């Protein structure tokens, strides 16, 4: 019997999870697996790149979970520095460019997994391609940024205040580089509510970053290398610039090959990670998923999602049955000592959907108030008006606060109302939390607010 040939495009979280799962279920005599990766590395932690640039992680090799040689031991062939530049859906062939040898080959497939990930937004600003301007996406970007930081830049500017921009700011500050951050919106971390975002802006200033809000970058100046970043209001000297303007799904190849995109602009897949094209699967940052609160298709770029989708894709290709239920956008990050977390929807997102909500925000501490090391944290809860269904939660606080978001994520996942959360049997001991955990206090306050408003309707 002829072997089935599985071709994977993209050798990181989603693609290699799919390959590994498929291999676990189908032996090499039955299923040949070949992955093409245009970079030099496979299965690396992009999430660790800011920590490598900041010298928290000393060796980039520690960010690699599995090398091509390790995949080969599992009978998974990985060809790095190979870029797929066209997919023929009819003939079931991929055109692959060997970037080192500079030649192109046609590769047949029976099953194709598109796992091309996402790419940093690079708006058409003058000077954006100058040497010294870095985006952070693949491992090589992190290696190059680290090299630039090691060279001792005099001043850095971060463009964009999303979590990647903030993590890069932390890295540069920790390496002693004077750093400014320019953000076009009124706050950093625009996916959380303004009152919470303001706390993060304060945290950014507190670590010594010059923060310029509501300023759009007009040009990056320089000739041989970057010299300055110009906004409408000022010119900021810089010999190193990091772009943190957000990411978009890397769907150029899919789109040009006729693979259907969904409403969000990412590849449309069913819950088993199949595209509508026979034999074509897709997973990770390049696909869209259903948001479990809004019901809408979204394109979120998170390693948590990419790994799960890759696994599900591989289970199905391997002959099993698994489905991806959807996402809440649960995410955590930190700027030096300040942790930030969110799950579900923000007030702005709820407003766009036409939903009505109640909100409660509380100040509390991470441990018992008297316990050494206790730190402040603010927890905000959004619950649907009348029903009290939990719709979203956000946390900004110090050491030990952010991971509490997972309790809220679990509650939203299970469709709980804030009233039902009030008596959840959460753990307590003074080194870990106050006797009323901040999650419980915030849920109780939100439930009381839902009750009060309900009283007005009756
Ligand atoms: C700086 C940074 C920090 C992050 N921090 C977090 C975090 O803390 N928590 C979290 O959940 N997520 C985080 N993420 C997001 C997370 O890393 C991604 O969601 C995850 O890597 C997506 O995996 P993926 O396999 O879908 O895509 P990617 O990791 O983007 O991999 C896609 C791969 O495909 C290759 N490729 C693309 N096109 C082609 C082609 N045509 N031919 C061959 N190869 C191709 C690319 O080179 C790349 O290696 C972070 C991302 C970055 C950049």
């Amino acid at each position: 019997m002829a072997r089935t040939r599985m071709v994977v495009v993209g050798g990181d979280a989603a693609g290699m999870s799919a390959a590994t799962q498929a291999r676990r279920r189908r032996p090499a005599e039955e299923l040949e697996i070949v992955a093409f990766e245009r970079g030099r590395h496979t299965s690396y932690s992009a999430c660790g790149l800011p920590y490598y640039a900041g010298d928290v992680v000393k060796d980039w090799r520690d960010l690699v979970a599995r090398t091509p040689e390790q995949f080969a031991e599992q009978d998974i062939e990985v060809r790095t520095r190979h870029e797929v530049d066209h997919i023929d859906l009819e003939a079931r062939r991929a055109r692959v460019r060997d970037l080192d040898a500079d030649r192109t080959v046609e590769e047949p497939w029976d099953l194709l997994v598109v796992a091309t990930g996402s790419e940093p937004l690079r708006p058409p600003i003058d000077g954006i391609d100058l040497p010294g301007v870095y985006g952070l996406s693949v491992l090589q970007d992190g290696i190059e940024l680290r090299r630039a930081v090691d060279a001792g830049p005099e001043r850095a500017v971060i463009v964009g205040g999303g979590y990647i921009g903030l993590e890069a700011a932390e890295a540069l500050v920790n390496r002693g580089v004077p750093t400014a951050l320019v953000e076009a919106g009124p706050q950093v971390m625009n996916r959380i509510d303004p009152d919470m975002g303001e706390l993060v802006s304060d945290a950014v200033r507190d670590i010594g970053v010059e923060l310029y809000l509501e300023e759009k970058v007009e040009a990056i100046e320089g000739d041989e290398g970057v010299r300055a970043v110009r906004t409408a209001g000022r010119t900021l000297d810089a010999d190193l610039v990091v772009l943190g303007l957000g990411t978009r799904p890397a769907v150029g190849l899919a789109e040009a090959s006729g693979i259907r995109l969904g409403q969000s602009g990412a590849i449309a897949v069913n819950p088993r990670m199949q595209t509508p094209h026979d034999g074509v699967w897709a997973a990770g940052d390049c696909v869209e998923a259903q948001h479990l609160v809004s019901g809408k298709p979204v394109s979120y770029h998170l390693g948590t999602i990419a790994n799960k989708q890759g696994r599900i894709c591989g289970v199905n290709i391997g002959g099993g049955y698994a489905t991806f239920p959807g996402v809440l956008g649960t995410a955590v990050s930190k700027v030096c000592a300040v942790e930030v977390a969110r799950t579900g929807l923000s007030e702005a997102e709820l407003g766009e959907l036409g939903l009505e909500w109640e909100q409660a925000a509380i100040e509390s501490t991470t441990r018992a108030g008297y316990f050494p090391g206790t730190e402040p944290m603010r927890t905000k809860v959004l619950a649907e008006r009348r029903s009290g269904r939990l719709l979203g939660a956000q946390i900004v606080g110090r050491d030990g606060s952010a991971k509490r978001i997972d309790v809220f994520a679990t509650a939203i996942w299970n469709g709980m109302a804030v009233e039902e959360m009030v008596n959840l049997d959460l753990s307590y001991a003074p080194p870990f939390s106050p006797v009323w955990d901040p999650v419980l206090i915030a849920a109780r306050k939100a439930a009381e607010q839902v009750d009060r408003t309900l009283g007005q309707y009756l």
Side-chain angles (χ1 to χ4, degrees):
M1 198 176 75
R3 283 203 300 174
T4 302
R5 191 167 204 248
M6 170 180 176
V7 163
V8 178
V9 189
D12 195 25
M16 298 320 292
S17 297
T20 307
Q21 278 301 324
R23 169 59 72 236
R24 275 198 196 151
R25 287 159 182 269
R26 291 174 74 175
E29 308 80 67
E30 206 184 292
L31 182 72
E32 179 188 1
I33 306 179
V34 185
F36 295 105
E37 163 56 53
R38 72 175 164 212
R40 295 184 191 282
H41 313 284
T42 51
S43 287
Y44 49 88
S45 167
C47 316
L49 300 182
Y51 304 100
Y52 176 58
D55 198 31
V56 176
V57 176
K58 305 288 175 196
D59 188 338
W60 63 261
R61 289 167 199 84
D62 293 340
L63 298 178
V64 177
R66 219 171 288 180
T67 61
E69 294 72 28
Q70 288 168 312
F71 281 114
E73 285 165 19
Q74 288 180 277
D75 284 318
I76 296 171
E77 182 187 345
V78 183
R79 295 194 215 156
T80 54
R81 299 281 295 150
H82 280 69
E83 181 172 38
V84 176
D85 67 13
H86 186 72
I87 296 161
D88 186 331
L89 298 174
E90 285 292 310
R92 296 196 180 217
R93 301 182 91 78
R95 194 172 67 209
V96 184
R97 216 150 58 83
D98 178 338
L99 298 172
D100 290 331
D102 198 19
R103 66 189 162 91
T104 299
V105 285
E106 293 279 328
E107 293 284 344
W109 49 267
D110 303 301
L111 299 167
L112 182 78
V113 177
V114 181
T116 46
S118 56
E119 53 204 14
L121 288 173
R122 291 181 88 93
I125 303 171
D126 271 355
I128 200 152
D129 294 321
L130 277 170
V133 179
Y134 295 87
L136 268 182
S137 178
V138 294
L139 178 51
Q140 193 59 33
D141 298 334
I143 293 173
E144 283 164 21
L145 177 62
R146 165 74 183 249
R147 207 173 286 143
V149 179
D150 286 348
E154 285 187 12
R155 263 186 70 87
V157 171
I158 314 272
V159 183
Y163 79 91
I164 292 179
L166 296 190
E167 289 175 2
E170 171 180 329
L172 289 163
V173 166
N174 285 344
R175 299 290 306 274
V177 183
T179 300
L181 192 149
V182 182
E183 161 61 48
Q187 65 175 76
V188 295
M189 292 247 173
N190 62 12
R191 298 211 52 239
I192 59 176
D193 295 336
D195 56 322
M196 302 297 274
E198 208 168 296
L199 300 177
V200 187
S201 296
D202 290 345
V204 171
R205 291 190 190 97
D206 287 348
I207 61 169
V209 172
E210 283 170 40
L211 180 61
Y212 299 101
L213 298 174
E214 297 186 85
E215 288 198 28
K216 237 181 158 153
V217 170
E218 293 188 336
I220 300 175
E221 297 176 351
D223 29 62
E224 302 286 279
V226 59
R227 208 176 42 233
V229 171
R230 197 177 75 227
T231 71
R234 70 198 77 243
T235 298
L236 295 161
D237 290 341
D239 49 357
L240 189 153
V241 171
V242 182
L243 301 177
L245 290 162
T247 48
R248 64 172 174 217
V251 292
L253 168 69
E255 196 175 15
S257 308
I259 293 175
R260 195 164 82 77
L261 304 185
Q263 276 174 41
S264 71
I267 298 171
V269 285
N270 68 16
R272 296 186 74 193
M273 311 312 299
Q274 275 169 309
T275 75
H277 313 280
D278 192 26
V280 182
W281 303 70
D285 286 2
C286 61
V287 308
E288 65 181 23
Q290 193 198 20
H291 196 287
L292 292 174
V293 178
S294 71
K296 294 208 184 291
V298 290
S299 171
Y300 286 165
H301 306 152
L302 289 166
T304 46
I305 299 171
N307 278 289
K308 291 184 193 105
Q309 290 181 333
R311 178 186 160 274
I312 285 163
C313 185
V315 167
N316 287 314
I317 287 177
Y321 184 88
T323 56
F324 185 70
V327 298
L328 294 175
T330 309
V332 289
S333 184
K334 76 182 216 11
V335 191
C336 289
V338 173
E339 303 179 350
V340 190
R342 65 158 278 163
T343 187
L345 298 179
S346 65
E347 293 198 69
E349 289 165 329
L350 291 171
E352 277 168 28
L353 282 175
L355 289 179
E356 295 191 6
W357 68 96
E358 303 294 344
Q359 59 114 340
I362 59 129
E363 313 290 339
S364 58
T365 54
T366 52
R367 301 173 167 85
Y370 55 81
F371 203 84
T374 191
E375 296 278 8
M377 64 180 279
R378 180 179 168 90
T379 308
K380 181 169 181 179
V381 168
L382 304 170
E384 190 173 30
R385 183 159 289 169
R386 292 186 182 230
S387 75
R389 175 171 63 114
L390 181 64
L391 299 172
Q394 297 162 32
I395 295 171
V396 178
R398 289 184 172 248
D399 188 31
S401 41
K403 280 294 275 178
R404 285 182 160 99
I405 204 71
D406 292 338
V407 178
F408 289 114
T410 308
I412 302 181
W413 191 270
N414 287 297
M416 289 175 80
V418 278
E419 174 65 34
E420 292 174 287
M421 292 184 70
V422 172
N423 293 314
L424 277 178
D425 190 7
L426 303 187
S427 59
Y428 154 70
F432 299 101
S433 73
V435 68
W436 282 95
D437 191 274
V439 168
L440 298 178
I441 306 172
R444 191 177 68 216
K445 293 279 179 208
E448 286 165 4
Q449 185 56 38
V450 170
D451 266 356
R452 259 196 297 278
T453 320
L454 199 55
Q456 291 165 14
Y457 286 116
L458 296 175

